[in-house]
Amino acid sequence: QVQLVESGGGLVQAGGSLRLSCAASGRIFTNCAVGWFRQTPGKEREIVAAVNRRGGSTYYSDSVQGRFTLYRDNVKSTVYLQMNSLKPEDTAVYYCAAAASGLWYPPPVGEDKYDYWGQGTQVTVSS
């Protein structure tokens, strides 16, 4: 079993930065791929970024490529999402999720591949 807790969300102006953290518990965390998803009212949840179990392979959606960076610290059992050059359209609830059912190289991008989910953290970007 893996438990995930997101933190670091908040209100920032366009062009600003935030760093989201996903703290994990459970001994299988280091064997899990981890993804970040986001959702706004009226829209489906979408993949933002993902990383494989060792941190050597990453995925970024086109909308965040070049602005967001995903990395993990398996010693601290924490995954981070550094968000720079934020835009109002980045406003959403951000969720981290872990996929434990495979080696995941590259990491999965499908929501149905993820087994464990955090409660989410709100990111609001003002214009």
Side-chain angles (χ1 to χ4, degrees):
Q1 184 70 34
V2 176
Q3 295 179 332
L4 306 171
V5 179
E6 304 98 332
S7 63
L11 174 65
V12 298
Q13 291 186 324
S17 298
L18 284 173
R19 189 182 73 167
L20 304 184
S21 298
C22 177
S25 62
R27 299 190 67 181
I28 66 171
F29 170 75
T30 57
N31 293 325
C32 294
V34 177
W36 283 95
F37 297 79
R38 66 186 182 187
Q39 188 170 29
T40 58
K43 295 184 178 180
E44 295 183 354
R45 187 156 51 195
E46 63 175 342
I47 183 74
V48 175
V51 62
N52 77 315
R53 66 188 184 92
R54 298 191 65 179
S57 180
T58 54
Y59 165 86
Y60 298 97
S61 68
D62 291 341
S63 63
V64 307
Q65 180 71 45
R67 299 188 298 120
F68 291 8
T69 302
L70 175 65
Y71 59 100
R72 68 189 298 169
D73 184 340
N74 283 341
V75 175
K76 295 182 177 180
S77 297
T78 301
V79 176
Y80 304 93
L81 183 67
Q82 179 66 47
M83 306 185 295
N84 299 324
S85 302
L86 284 162
K87 304 175 181 179
E89 52 262 43
D90 295 318
T91 296
V93 177
Y94 284 71
Y95 301 88
C96 64
S101 59
L103 295 177
W104 302 128
Y105 188 91
V109 299
E111 182 177 339
D112 60 344
K113 299 298 190 296
Y114 288 85
D115 306 296
Y116 309 104
W117 293 80
Q119 295 299 307
T121 184
Q122 176 71 48
V123 172
T124 302
V125 184
S126 62
S127 59

